Amino acid sequence: MASVLSGIILVTFLCLSLAADEGFVLPSVEFKPITKLADDIPTCRQKDSDINECIRQGFQQLTPRLKYGISDLNIPPMDPFQLGKSSYNYNSGILQGRIAMRNVLVHGLSEGIVDKVDYRQKNNRVRMEMLSHVPQLLAEGAYKADIKLNDMKITPKGTFNITLADVSMKTRALGELYERDGHTYLRLTKLETEPKVGDMRIYANGLVPDPALNDVILDFINQYWQQLYQSMLPETMAIWEPILLKVGNDFFAALPFDLLVTKD
């Protein structure tokens, strides 16, 4: 599940969101209660001397299956990931204003690689840190906006695509175990993420009527993407981490933790 949450965060940055308005929500998922796992769902033993590698391999086995979803774990198809309609506010210094997007698809989440897992459990306290990366992610969709780029005010409308290369993610989760209906469940108390992007290329038509000037604006955005990204990062995480914490707890409230990490 940590890899799924990380993927959703990366989707957010693909869409260059600084601050989502109150109307934005993640696609709804029905979390049906799970009492038994299918034989092809990897599990680990709590007393396994190499439990970190077991969990890492489990995540890695599940990641390619994000493409078509994993119904046994209440995970819908996520490659491409469909964002649907959303709107965002920007206030990052050189970029200010509002943008609305629709029919957004994100490709590449199922190509993720889980590099390292550090799982620790003491009594009913759980702590896990995971390092993962995705070679490339592509987002595409339609947009319209009312923004100010430096001193240039524009009201563009058109289609866009954003390519991110060498995307890495460090995820830290804290939680507590509790008993319910004869099973042990996990309640997440904290979820922190640190995404990093190696390179970003943005394309959009319709920024201005003149195609030549459109290319000039794109060149400017692509030249300064790192500054834009860094200015977005703190406020974006402040908005998204509570949302993802809730999604994670909805997920684990339906799935007994002792089915994933068994006691025997």
Side-chain angles (χ1 to χ4, degrees):
M1 182 58 186
S3 58
V4 175
L5 296 179
S6 300
I8 295 173
I9 296 171
L10 294 175
V11 168
T12 308
F13 286 111
L14 275 170
C15 295
L16 296 178
S17 60
L18 175 59
D21 68 12
E22 65 275 6
F24 179 78
V25 294
L26 289 172
S28 61
V29 177
E30 182 182 0
F31 292 99
K32 300 178 180 178
I34 298 172
T35 58
K36 182 180 179 180
L37 295 182
D39 293 337
D40 60 348
I41 302 296
T43 61
C44 297
R45 296 179 59 191
Q46 183 175 320
K47 296 182 179 180
D48 191 336
S49 60
D50 199 7
I51 189 172
N52 290 332
E53 179 60 16
C54 178
I55 294 175
R56 188 198 70 80
Q57 290 182 9
F59 276 133
Q60 191 60 68
Q61 290 177 38
L62 293 176
T63 298
R65 296 172 60 182
L66 295 177
K67 187 172 185 68
Y68 303 107
I70 309 171
S71 59
D72 291 312
L73 293 179
N74 289 321
I75 298 175
M78 293 189 66
D79 196 358
F81 183 82
Q82 300 182 19
L83 270 178
K85 294 182 179 180
S86 56
S87 58
Y88 304 88
N89 293 319
Y90 296 77
N91 188 24
S92 62
I94 64 174
L95 179 63
Q96 300 179 13
R98 184 180 181 85
I99 183 170
M101 293 178 288
R102 59 184 176 84
N103 301 328
V104 178
L105 295 177
V106 181
H107 307 264
L109 291 177
S110 63
E111 302 297 322
I113 298 171
V114 182
D115 300 296
K116 185 178 180 180
V117 170
D118 183 9
Y119 173 85
R120 301 183 186 185
Q121 179 179 337
K122 184 176 182 180
N123 299 324
N124 68 329
R125 301 291 180 179
V126 170
R127 176 184 181 275
M128 189 177 74
E129 187 171 291
M130 184 177 73
L131 302 178
S132 59
H133 73 276
V134 183
Q136 181 172 292
L137 290 171
L138 169 68
E140 58 183 347
Y143 78 97
K144 63 178 180 178
D146 184 359
I147 59 176
K148 185 177 181 182
L149 187 62
N150 266 356
D151 294 326
M152 181 185 300
K153 182 174 175 58
I154 55 178
T155 55
K157 179 180 180 181
T159 60
F160 74 93
N161 65 68
I162 307 172
T163 302
L164 272 69
D166 301 324
V167 181
S168 62
M169 177 72 69
K170 184 177 183 179
T171 305
R172 290 184 296 269
L174 300 178
E176 55 189 14
L177 302 175
Y178 65 97
E179 301 296 321
R180 192 183 81 211
D181 301 328
H183 281 285
T184 300
Y185 288 81
L186 172 65
R187 180 186 298 110
L188 295 174
T189 56
K190 192 172 186 179
L191 182 64
E192 298 177 331
T193 54
E194 295 179 18
K196 294 182 179 180
V197 177
D199 193 21
M200 179 188 295
R201 298 296 296 178
I202 302 170
Y203 170 79
N205 61 29
L207 294 175
V208 290
D210 184 349
L213 183 55
N214 193 98
D215 291 342
V216 170
I217 296 173
L218 285 176
D219 287 342
F220 175 84
I221 294 173
N222 284 315
Q223 181 179 355
Y224 292 101
W225 74 265
Q226 290 177 315
Q227 290 91 326
L228 288 170
Y229 176 83
Q230 290 301 325
S231 66
M232 294 173 186
L233 188 59
E235 192 169 344
T236 301
M237 299 319 303
I239 292 171
W240 274 85
E241 284 179 350
I243 296 175
L244 296 174
L245 185 65
K246 181 183 183 305
V247 173
N249 278 323
D250 289 343
F251 174 85
F252 283 115
L255 172 62
F257 188 71
D258 54 18
L259 294 182
L260 296 172
V261 179
T262 62
K263 297 178 181 180
D264 51 90

